[in-house]
Amino acid sequence: MTQVLDAPLHTPQATSHTPSSTYRLQLHAGFDFAAARRVLPYLARLGVTDVYLSPIWTSTPGSTHGYDVTDHASVNPELGGEAGLRRLAGRAHALGLRLIVDFVPNHMGIQGGHNPYWEDVLMHGRASRYAHFFDISWQPLKRALEGKVLLPTLGDQYGRVLERGELKLERDGGRFFLRYWERRFPISPRSLAALLGQVAGRLLGRPEHPELASVARAAANLPRSTSDLTDADRLARAEEVDIIARRLAALTETSRPVREALDGVLDTANGDPALLDSLIQEQNYRLASWRVASEEINYRRFFDINDLAALRMEDSRVFVWAHGKLFDLVREGVVSGVRLDHTDGLYDPAGYFRALQLGAAEALGLPAPAEDAPREALPLYVVAEKILEPGEHLPEDWAIHGTTGYDFLAQLGGVFVDGANEEEVTAIYRRFTGDRESYGDHLYRGKSLIERVSLPGEVNVLAEHLGRLAEADLRFRDFTLSALRDAIREVIASFPVYRTYVRADGSREPGDDAKIEHAVRDAKAHVRRQNRDLSGSLFDFLEAVLKLDAEGEATRASYADFALKFQQLTGPVTAKGAEDTAFYRYGRLLSLNEVGGDPALFGTPPKSFHASARERAERWPASMLAGSTHDTKRGEDTRARLSVLSELPQTWAAHLSGWLPLVRSLETQTELGPAPTALDAYTLLQTALGAYPLDGKTDDFADRLSAYMLKAAREAKLRTSWAAPDGEYEAALDTLVRGLLANERYLTDLRGLHARISPYGAQNGLSATLARLTAPGVPDTYQGCEGWNQSLVDPDNRRPVDYTWRTRTLARIERKHPENGLRLASDLLGGYEDGGVKLLVTWAALRARAAHPDLFRHGGYRPLGGGRHLLAFAREHGDELAVTVAPRLTYSLTREKTPWAMGEVWGNRLLTLPRTGLYENVLTGERVRVRGEKIAVAKVLEDFPLALLVRR
């Protein structure tokens, strides 16, 4: 065993390793590197080629997700540290697996004092060695924040907190802190000079006095935090502060009078709010109530999360520091690929991707790739989290291999929605909820709300910036700050994509100008419809700035700086306004309300899916294909079942009518009207059906639903929210959830509807799994999704995975499939509720990929005709050929005559195949000979409801 664990790592290759398939593991203290190592043999047998790890870097203690990184330069000790990671990599490599890691370039976690770089900034201010790490506005419009960082961490107004004595000055050896409950804030060493002087005064005549007075002078002589220091000066200042702390610590350790005098001065300060306030005012931060964060915060955040501070990754010094450990791991073969989180938040994503590949090339000792190098020549496999709006294309010149797959997830999910019933489903939704607005209306309102409530500080910073640009131009200097702010808000609320990609040199992606023009045109229209007095010339000026339309290099450069900052805000506003607001306000069919999707699009016609797949095969063949992720609102099989509702709107309407009296009987009367709202009730009824456990085990179902509904209601921000929770409304939500699930009549009806549609939801899930595993790209399996995944939004989707059952079931499949694959498949289908049949499909498809790597990596894509109830396509490469046959809309096909789309139910429908010959359905082991262009679908799917035909 020691030999296996210590097996040599892969020797770095001359070109990047491209995975054939990946498997995502969510790491945390309860599932660390050692736990991951134990499941590696199972994953190798399952057939994946790469294990894709959530962030491995040191993060906030107790983090369950790892995206709150506190140190990019070290591996998380809670996961097992670097030694644990290397043991994991050694074991993986011995089994033929590689590791891909999740990297977070946009932000860091700053909660609880655990980030040493942020704490250094709080201590030293602009004189900190790390002040350039963070995107801080040191000269905001509010003059009281000049040279300070606003820290909205207090539970009440600052003055009240101070008067109640909740802020305390305390000492730890030779260093001083300001404590607020569990949080300690560092004290600026220079601000201690007066305090140390008081201590020295109490010790006049004692032998310790000269040393203590010297320490006080050294503190007073430190360069001011507002000084314009060189890097060498900053380092010297930090070293001097360490010397001061050591000298003071030595005094306190050896002299009781010094300790007593110091503690006496601290007690005096803590007992006098005015005295303590005078010291606090000298700090490099300003403590404030959490309520002021949205408007006055002066550091860029990840979305509106105060505990996640954005990094200035465009600074080469920050880039080198942040990626040093990553490049070490790449150089030594521990890491073979990178998934990048939230790259739309970066100042210059294209420049960042280029720098990443150059750094990887240097780490591997390879020549720097040319800017126009083909993707297969890039030294490191990289995929980026990027939400593509319908019709939007990934920039061709990005030095990455593709996205993390949200675009594919949305396209594939929509295939199983019956677009023919859109009007009827919409009418049902409107009757039940009273919501007459379109999704586009909800999106506009959601984005506007986020700008006003969650991110007004960021909007204000942009408005001040735009105001300075206007002031420098005689034509525009009379625009008021308020009007400029309104124009920015309207354009961002109307932006058709997450962001554009204008660069500092003026280059941009094709279509960026058109997107800006689209946003400005829509913004003007919104203003006219609202009859608001906002001049069109304001929007014309903003459009010119965003398109860098100016004479003179200096003006264009200043416009570019604004445009790049503007682009960093449109993404967060869209993400929060769509995924975390509008998705929860518009509940027509919840399977469509998924990250990467557009709820306004009622399904994906197969023709559209085929067009996207063909484009991916030609341009992004190594892009990741996702079905579920750590960020999806619902697990893939929850969505698959909900999509069946699009096929039976009348049945759904009848059940809603039957449930409505019970729902109303469980309402709570509040000052604002009945609670919950009809929208929340509609959301709950869909969710209960979609997530109802296939195994029938409902012990924790009420708790899961209640937690989900609480999050959904807060995200919607209509009757309660994270910032202003309404306890009465939230209690009403819980009452409805538990009241419904305690009602035997409702439960009987829910179980009956579930029993009717769950086979068709399962069929959707199986078909989607097969399509994901065989379409162009690199299929990713989110942990546990080789079995059913009926999860809800996080943290529900991060529940522990039962690998014992999966390992046992896989062993059964491995043992029985070669002997009688059809019988095994039939048995697993008959007991589909346990998920074994999905595991079979996953295993068989991954085995086919392993047996034909060139076919699935480089093969072309050909749509195949088979009628509206089939998603069928061929992958071709040389003499190799594989055909995917995945039924869709099978409830409409079978009309409940049979639970599965097999045999005679297909009638005389024919499937067109590219070539004649002998084919094997690798899912069942069955063989079929094709003598002409077409074959009966009933023959292909005679005994099993999907097929992966590989030509022999």
Side-chain angles (χ1 to χ4, degrees):
M1 181 61 72
T2 301
Q3 290 180 338
V4 173
L5 292 179
D6 296 336
L9 303 182
H10 281 294
T11 301
Q13 302 295 310
T15 57
S16 65
H17 159 74
T18 302
S20 174
S21 58
T22 61
Y23 189 99
R24 165 83 174 201
L25 289 176
Q26 288 292 122
L27 301 172
H28 49 81
F31 190 85
D32 57 9
F33 294 139
R37 197 167 69 243
R38 288 192 288 273
V39 305
L40 289 179
Y42 161 77
L43 297 181
R45 288 164 50 202
L46 184 63
V48 299
T49 64
D50 291 67
V51 180
Y52 155 36
L53 305 175
S54 62
I56 62 172
W57 321 102
T58 299
S59 57
T60 303
S63 175
T64 60
H65 50 78
Y67 288 96
D68 47 357
V69 177
T70 56
D71 192 356
H72 291 77
S74 64
V75 178
N76 197 341
E78 288 193 352
L79 302 180
E82 190 169 338
L85 174 65
R86 290 179 180 276
R87 284 193 292 272
L88 174 64
R91 179 62 169 147
H93 295 170
L95 292 166
L97 301 169
R98 302 283 190 99
L99 297 185
I100 293 174
V101 297
D102 203 329
F103 193 79
V104 189
N106 178 69
H107 55 268
M108 294 186 79
I110 57 172
Q111 183 178 13
H114 300 292
N115 186 319
Y117 310 98
W118 181 256
E119 295 303 295
D120 196 85
V121 172
L122 298 186
M123 178 183 287
H124 298 285
R126 281 185 287 181
S128 170
R129 294 163 290 173
Y130 311 111
H132 61 286
F133 275 32
F134 304 98
D135 205 346
I136 300 168
S137 176
W138 293 105
Q139 294 179 306
L141 188 63
K142 187 168 184 174
R143 307 324 303 171
L145 288 175
E146 175 86 24
K148 295 179 182 287
V149 179
L150 181 73
L151 296 182
T153 58
L154 304 181
D156 201 348
Q157 296 288 332
Y158 167 76
R160 295 172 182 169
V161 169
L162 185 69
E163 290 171 358
R164 290 197 295 264
E166 294 171 2
L167 293 169
K168 297 287 186 183
L169 191 62
E170 61 180 41
R171 178 178 62 83
D172 184 355
R175 297 187 183 275
F176 295 79
F177 299 88
L178 185 66
R179 178 175 289 281
Y180 177 65
W181 300 108
E182 294 82 12
R183 179 69 164 96
R184 294 200 314 178
F185 302 97
I187 292 294
S188 165
R190 198 173 189 281
S191 71
L192 292 171
L195 183 147
L196 294 177
Q198 294 177 37
V199 176
R202 295 189 180 193
L203 298 174
L204 282 172
R206 290 195 57 83
E208 300 94 336
H209 177 266
E211 173 66 1
L212 192 57
S214 175
V215 171
R217 286 194 299 274
N221 291 332
L222 287 170
R224 291 184 176 276
S225 296
T226 57
S227 300
D228 185 15
L229 304 178
T230 66
D231 287 347
D233 292 337
R234 295 171 193 273
L235 178 60
R237 187 183 194 277
E239 291 173 344
E240 179 62 22
V241 168
D242 286 341
I243 292 172
I244 290 172
R246 287 199 299 272
R247 292 172 66 188
L248 192 56
L251 278 171
T252 58
E253 289 171 6
T254 59
S255 172
R256 180 177 176 180
V258 169
R259 290 197 300 274
E260 291 177 346
L262 261 176
D263 294 340
V265 169
L266 295 185
D267 288 343
T268 299
N270 288 329
D272 185 343
L275 185 59
L276 184 58
D277 173 62
S278 66
L279 179 68
I280 294 174
Q281 297 309 314
E282 294 185 52
Q283 302 313 306
N284 298 302
Y285 49 83
R286 175 168 175 162
L287 297 175
S289 164
W290 64 272
R291 294 182 181 277
V292 309
S294 58
E295 284 197 48
E296 296 189 353
I297 202 157
N298 63 331
Y299 60 90
R300 189 167 61 86
R301 303 164 290 172
F302 172 69
F303 295 164
D304 58 350
I305 304 174
N306 298 337
D307 292 330
L308 296 177
L311 288 168
R312 296 182 64 252
M313 200 56 70
E314 65 273 16
D315 188 311
S316 60
R317 298 168 295 174
V318 179
F319 180 91
V320 170
W321 159 79
H323 295 80
K325 178 56 64 177
L326 172 64
F327 288 146
D328 287 345
L329 297 173
V330 169
R331 177 185 303 110
E332 296 167 30
V334 177
V335 168
S336 299
V338 177
R339 181 263 190 196
L340 296 170
D341 179 67
H342 193 59
T343 54
D344 265 353
L346 298 174
Y347 187 74
D348 178 14
Y352 171 79
F353 299 142
R354 175 70 179 162
L356 186 65
Q357 294 292 356
L358 290 174
E362 182 180 356
L364 294 169
L366 300 173
E371 291 199 20
D372 60 350
R375 288 190 185 89
E376 56 268 22
L378 295 174
L380 185 65
Y381 178 73
V382 177
V383 289
E385 182 187 49
K386 167 62 187 167
I387 306 299
L388 294 168
E389 295 289 2
E392 184 182 8
H393 298 280
L394 196 63
E396 290 281 351
D397 62 346
W398 281 5
I400 61 176
H401 292 78
T403 73
T404 55
Y406 288 116
D407 46 335
F408 174 83
L409 181 154
Q411 293 158 7
L412 179 61
V415 167
F416 302 98
V417 173
D418 191 348
N421 292 326
E422 178 176 8
E423 289 188 8
E424 193 168 359
V425 173
T426 302
I428 292 168
Y429 167 68
R430 287 177 172 172
R431 284 197 301 271
F432 192 98
T433 65
D435 180 13
R436 297 291 186 270
E437 294 191 338
S438 69
Y439 173 71
D441 294 331
H442 284 291
L443 178 60
Y444 172 80
R445 293 178 188 275
K447 292 170 71 173
S448 298
L449 177 70
I450 293 301
E451 292 184 276
R452 293 195 316 273
V453 175
S454 299
L455 298 171
E458 286 79 353
V459 174
N460 289 339
V461 169
L462 273 183
E464 293 164 21
H465 193 162
L466 189 61
R468 291 192 293 271
L469 297 180
E471 188 67 30
D473 192 315
L474 297 179
R475 297 169 298 169
F476 308 121
R477 71 178 187 181
D478 289 338
F479 290 151
T480 67
L481 182 63
S482 175
L484 291 170
R485 183 186 299 113
D486 285 347
I488 289 172
R489 283 176 176 165
E490 287 294 338
V491 170
I492 292 179
S494 302
F495 226 70
V497 292
Y498 275 64
R499 64 168 285 172
T500 49
Y501 297 96
V502 177
R503 302 190 69 187
D505 63 1
S507 62
R508 66 203 73 193
E509 294 303 321
D512 274 357
D513 283 355
K515 292 164 187 171
I516 293 168
E517 292 164 4
H518 180 285
V520 170
R521 184 172 61 250
D522 281 7
K524 287 180 176 179
H526 277 297
V527 169
R528 285 196 300 270
R529 284 196 295 271
Q530 296 165 6
N531 197 28
R532 291 168 57 195
D533 184 19
L534 207 57
S535 170
S537 58
L538 278 165
F539 295 100
D540 296 336
F541 171 56
L542 178 54
E543 179 180 340
V545 172
L546 294 176
K547 293 164 64 176
L548 314 190
D549 184 8
E551 295 182 1
E553 288 298 321
T555 303
R556 275 196 295 274
S558 61
Y559 279 15
D561 187 44
F562 174 87
L564 269 70
K565 291 290 186 182
F566 178 90
Q567 291 173 156
Q568 285 182 287
L569 182 56
T570 58
V573 170
T574 301
K576 293 294 294 181
E579 300 159 28
D580 294 342
T581 305
F583 275 21
Y584 292 95
R585 291 183 168 195
Y586 183 77
R588 178 174 59 168
L589 183 63
L590 292 180
S591 59
L592 298 172
N593 294 25
E594 193 49 84
V595 182
D598 183 345
L601 299 180
F602 199 81
T604 307
K607 183 178 180 180
S608 298
F609 176 86
H610 291 314
S612 297
R614 178 176 283 168
E615 179 183 356
R616 189 177 299 107
E618 294 171 353
R619 298 183 178 181
W620 302 96
S623 190
M624 193 173 276
L625 309 179
S628 296
T629 77
H630 62 287
D631 269 340
T632 42
K633 306 298 182 186
R634 292 161 195 85
E636 57 198 59
D637 298 305
T638 304
R639 282 180 267 124
R641 186 186 295 168
L642 285 172
S643 291
V644 179
L645 295 178
S646 70
E647 299 182 68
L648 43 92
Q650 293 180 358
T651 299
W652 176 235
H655 280 274
L656 289 172
S657 296
W659 293 335
L660 185 57
L662 175 59
V663 168
R664 287 181 172 164
S665 73
L666 292 169
E667 288 177 348
T668 302
Q669 295 301 318
T670 71
E671 291 184 4
L672 297 177
T677 63
L679 169 64
D680 281 341
Y682 197 78
T683 297
L684 171 60
L685 294 174
Q686 284 189 77
T687 304
L689 177 61
Y692 190 84
L694 269 164
D695 60 12
K697 298 177 181 177
T698 58
D699 293 347
D700 64 345
F701 194 44
D703 293 336
R704 291 177 57 212
L705 278 182
S706 184
Y708 169 79
M709 289 305 303
L710 174 63
K711 182 166 185 172
R714 287 183 175 181
E715 296 285 22
K717 307 170 190 69
L718 292 170
R719 290 286 298 272
T720 187
S721 67
W722 297 106
D726 184 324
E728 185 179 26
Y729 186 82
E730 293 175 357
L733 271 176
D734 186 67
T735 296
L736 177 60
V737 171
R738 298 184 189 281
L740 280 175
L741 294 183
N743 185 282
E744 193 56 41
R745 181 180 173 186
Y746 168 75
L747 272 181
T748 299
D749 204 29
L750 175 63
R751 291 190 190 110
L753 181 57
H754 162 261
R756 287 179 63 184
I757 73 169
S758 66
Y760 307 103
Q763 174 77 70
N764 288 347
L766 295 175
S767 292
T769 298
L770 182 61
R772 171 170 50 84
L773 294 170
T774 56
V778 177
D780 175 57
T781 300
Y782 182 70
Q783 61 175 26
C785 286
E786 65 274 29
W788 301 126
N789 181 349
Q790 291 181 270
S791 65
L792 300 170
V793 73
D794 66 284
D796 192 71
N797 59 14
R798 296 199 295 267
R799 288 176 296 155
V801 176
D802 185 355
Y803 284 110
T804 300
W805 174 84
R806 283 164 174 76
T807 302
R808 187 170 62 246
T809 304
L810 181 57
R812 177 190 173 197
I813 291 171
E814 291 173 321
R815 185 174 65 254
K816 294 190 174 185
H817 191 273
E819 302 171 4
N820 195 335
L822 178 57
R823 180 173 180 179
L824 171 67
S826 297
D827 288 346
L828 292 174
L829 187 66
Y832 78 96
E833 293 89 351
D834 68 2
V837 66
K838 190 179 181 188
L839 181 56
L840 167 67
V841 171
T842 303
W843 172 80
L846 289 174
R847 282 185 71 208
R849 293 185 71 92
H852 305 275
D854 290 337
L855 171 62
F856 287 100
R857 179 169 296 174
H858 305 298
Y861 182 91
R862 181 189 296 194
L864 299 179
R868 74 184 295 263
H869 292 287
L870 274 188
L871 177 68
F873 55 84
R875 303 296 308 280
E876 299 175 276
H877 183 72
D879 292 333
E880 294 184 297
L881 172 65
V883 175
T884 294
V885 185
R888 63 184 288 265
L889 308 182
T890 57
Y891 179 90
S892 305
L893 173 71
T894 65
R895 291 298 174 188
E896 297 187 82
K897 294 176 182 176
T898 173
W900 304 107
M902 298 189 302
E904 295 179 357
V905 73
W906 290 101
N908 59 3
R909 292 175 176 86
L910 298 175
L911 173 66
T912 303
L913 294 181
R915 282 181 254 171
T916 61
L918 182 65
Y919 289 81
E920 178 186 350
N921 182 356
V922 299
L923 307 182
T924 63
E926 296 172 283
R927 295 194 175 190
V928 58
R929 183 167 295 278
V930 180
R931 303 184 186 280
E933 286 186 354
K934 298 180 182 294
I935 186 173
V937 177
K939 184 174 181 61
V940 175
L941 303 179
E942 184 174 3
D943 299 303
F944 195 68
L946 62 164
L948 176 56
L949 303 176
V950 176
R951 187 172 182 269
R952 298 300 179 186

